[in-house]
Amino acid sequence: MRHLVLIFMVASLCLLTLSRCLLAAWQWRRVEQAGGILPVLRGGLRIDAHQIAIFAAIPALLAPWMGHMPMAVAATGWWFQFAWLLLVLLELSTPQFITEYDTRPNRLYIEYLRHPQEVFGMLWKGYKGLLIAAAVGIAGFAWMGHAMFDDSRPDWSMPWWQALPASIAILALSFLAIRGTLGHRPMNPSTVAYCGDSMLNTLPLNSLYNVCYAVYSMKNERSATDVYGGMDAAQMQRTVCQGAGFEPGSGELPTLHAQPSRHPRPRPLNIVIIVQESLGAQYVGNLGGMGLTPHLDALAQTGWNFTRAYATGTRSVRGLEAVAAGFPPTIADAVLRLPGAQSNFFTLAQLLGAHGYRSRFIYGGEAHFDNMKSFFLGNGFTELHDRPSFQAPKFVGTWGASDEDMFDRLHELLAAPPAQPTFTLAFSVSNHSPWEYPAGRIEPVGEPATVENTVRYADWAMGRFFEQARNCDYWQDTVFLVVADHDSRVGGASLVPLRHFHIPALIVGADVAARQDQRLISQIDLAPTLLSVAGLNTEHPMIGHDLTGQGGGRAMMQYSENYGYLKGDQLVVLEPHKEARQFRYQAPDLYEPQKLDESLAHEALAHALWPSWAYQNSAYTLPHLLRKPAAAKAA
């Protein structure tokens, strides 16, 4: 039994590595352009160790205790033959899948099984030769697996004082291999993503892992229709588009529309979005908070300050999807973590790339957290700077390099610009439990490790950066957005605690005039506004308002199972499988029940349903990236 475990581990590793090398050789031009085969093999070793440990961990743990039992050895052999065939089947399917979809087998592989008659009929008619070749290959590998694993010779009996430490060591190694890292989060596909080519980012994976992870991730794709109720698709599109200020299109991208800039420029400005971790209005002095952000308050007096901006959710990924992609919130998980959004999903980086921009993401932590790395590299970002790339950071805490280290990298990149304009998304990390920051930067109040003191430090680091930026040449060529991803400590007795969705948002730099803007706005309005300020005439599918003109007046947010739609002072709350409720809202915490306005409830429901529809129908993208939904292809 012990020798079967060893044979399976070695054989599987050889199989998966050989398959990966052949795929890389087949796609060598793209592999070479992305930096060669080393990142593919290095990442593949981690993924394969995970996959092999999934199959081999239990037999390996039992082998010291049961390896001398013929029945246990025989069962292990059959199990390994099954696992071997599964690995073989997925790897043999991979070349044709890449030809069709430019990616390894993923959720489509499983979704096609829902239509076996149509799919197998299509395969037999169109790919008869490939099917025959695959059948022969599978038969050959099945014979090979039978030869390797059909061995019922028992092991010698191991005494307990040897079996116990052996089992402990095997358990530790298996746990490490399956988890794939000693970091905060287990390994995921984003861990081994290494370039902007989404297909190449799947080469370090193996196909069985990619399918299993896609199936696992499907749990996050809840449909808003199932939770809040349905609506005619045409009505939904018309309501959402009219709310955004344009008429729906007739093609497969109903929200695709032209947005001319109200500030045309001979050369468009560089764009920098600084996303501040967990910085709710409750901490910000100019928004009526605790006054812990003197540098942000001073900056707000010099730029375009939105005093009534609202986040779309309570997680960083929710804020990132809103500001970097202009995407509204859904009952499902944020799109950064959904498998169908890992390529061909609209982001500012995709759009700006078509206008000659170079796009980059800066983060003090590890970018595979929350699948940020995979999402951004797969959707237009050309550079990624995270904790492993930081040279000699001044302070590294639980969540990564400090905010001042992140801002130092941002300043370094902006001070040495390439020939083309740049878009930079910079995400801070310090303002997060356990509230760690370098000593000597601020004078802490009370216990140093508190959210209040960490907010003070994060504000100091940001103020230090802007003091540098104002004295640099790039200031006049750059527009900056400073915005929080969400508030911290979100809670309360209300269905949607609006005071905890209130966040700072301000635009500074270049020739942006000082202005206090009291319009009610959403995070999704900020991306279209930046495009206009930067001087770009664009075409995109975002439904946010360009606030350089008329706009604002509404905000939307997802709070656990509840969806809130705030228009003026009227809040409509959608709850799962219940009638909508309406309140008159007065900040910070007054909710007065109102008679439901049916037209406003219809508007709220349309906005709650539309993001799910757009994701499921691959309709949130640009025309040259448009792809058919899986269900349509399978039909």
Side-chain angles (χ1 to χ4, degrees), residues 10-44:
V10 173
S12 298
L13 186 60
C14 290
L15 169 72
L16 297 173
T17 302
L18 176 62
S19 174
R20 187 173 291 111
C21 289
L22 292 174
L23 292 172
W26 174 39
Q27 300 288 338
W28 181 246
R29 180 174 297 179
R30 293 166 71 174
V31 171
E32 187 178 33
Q33 290 175 348
I37 198 172
L38 185 59
V40 175
L41 296 179
R42 186 170 56 234

Side-chain angles (χ1 to χ4, degrees), residues 89-345:
L89 173 63
L90 269 295
E91 292 304 314
L92 288 179
S93 304
T94 299
Q96 187 59 37
F97 203 92
I98 289 177
T99 300
E100 293 288 335
Y101 301 106
D102 204 38
T103 185
R104 277 188 183 267
N106 55 19
R107 59 178 293 176
L108 297 181
Y109 199 88
I110 300 300
E111 289 180 350
Y112 278 160
L113 297 180
R114 300 175 184 174
H115 312 277
Q117 182 176 346
E118 294 86 347
V119 171
F120 286 110
M122 174 192 69
L123 291 174
W124 182 249
K125 290 179 181 178
Y127 305 96
K128 190 176 299 183
L130 284 174
L131 282 179
I132 294 173
V136 172
I138 290 173
F141 277 105
W143 173 84
M144 186 185 302
H146 183 74
M148 288 189 293
F149 306 124
D150 186 33
D151 187 349
S152 58
R153 290 176 296 172
D155 302 328
W156 54 271
S157 181
M158 184 178 289
W160 72 268
W161 53 271
Q162 292 180 345
L164 183 59
S167 294
I168 293 173
I170 291 168
L171 180 62
L173 290 172
S174 298
F175 175 79
L176 180 60
I178 292 172
R179 199 170 190 276
T181 176
L182 294 175
H184 298 291
R185 301 290 181 182
M187 180 176 62
N188 60 41
S190 187
T191 307
V192 297
Y194 71 100
C195 68
D197 187 326
S198 58
M199 189 281 290
L200 294 186
N201 284 335
T202 68
L203 289 189
L205 310 176
N206 61 66
S207 294
L208 180 59
Y209 175 92
N210 206 38
V211 169
C212 291
Y213 190 85
V215 172
Y216 166 78
S217 299
M218 288 170 68
K219 67 181 176 59
N220 298 320
E221 299 184 17
R222 300 177 64 190
S223 169
T225 301
D226 296 338
V227 178
Y228 302 130
M231 179 183 292
D232 176 72
Q235 280 189 330
M236 176 188 66
Q237 300 291 353
R238 185 163 52 251
T239 301
V240 168
C241 292
Q242 288 176 351
F246 55 85
E247 291 298 317
S250 58
E252 295 172 277
L253 305 177
T255 62
L256 185 70
H257 65 284
Q259 181 193 318
S261 171
R262 294 184 174 89
H263 297 275
R265 302 176 185 273
R267 183 184 189 276
L269 296 175
N270 300 317
I271 297 174
V272 176
I273 298 178
I274 299 171
V275 181
Q276 292 283 71
E277 171 71 55
S278 303
L279 186 62
Q282 61 173 315
Y283 304 115
V284 180
N286 79 84
L287 299 179
M290 301 177 195
L292 306 180
T293 58
H295 296 282
L296 181 64
D297 293 337
L299 194 66
Q301 297 303 313
T302 67
W304 186 1
N305 187 35
F306 299 98
T307 61
R308 296 181 64 203
Y310 281 80
T312 58
T314 60
R315 292 286 314 281
S316 295
V317 283
R318 189 67 79 194
L320 289 171
E321 74 175 356
V323 298
F327 197 64
T330 68
I331 187 69
D333 207 341
V335 291
L336 274 74
R337 300 175 59 176
L338 297 183
Q342 299 311 299
S343 63
N344 298 339
F345 193 87

Side-chain angles (χ1 to χ4, degrees), residues 30 100-102 196-199 252-253 256 340-355 375-381 539-541 614-615 617-630 633:
R30 293 166 71 174
E100 293 288 335
Y101 301 106
D102 204 38
D197 187 326
S198 58
M199 189 281 290
E252 295 172 277
L253 305 177
L256 185 70
Q342 299 311 299
S343 63
N344 298 339
F345 193 87
F346 176 83
T347 65
L348 282 177
Q350 278 187 347
L351 176 65
L352 293 171
H355 289 265
F375 177 82
F376 288 135
L377 286 179
N379 289 301
F381 285 80
E539 187 179 46
H540 60 72
Y615 170 76
N617 288 274
S618 301
Y620 199 72
T621 187
L622 295 173
H624 69 282
L625 300 173
L626 184 65
R627 61 186 181 192
K628 297 286 188 180
K633 284 189 175 183

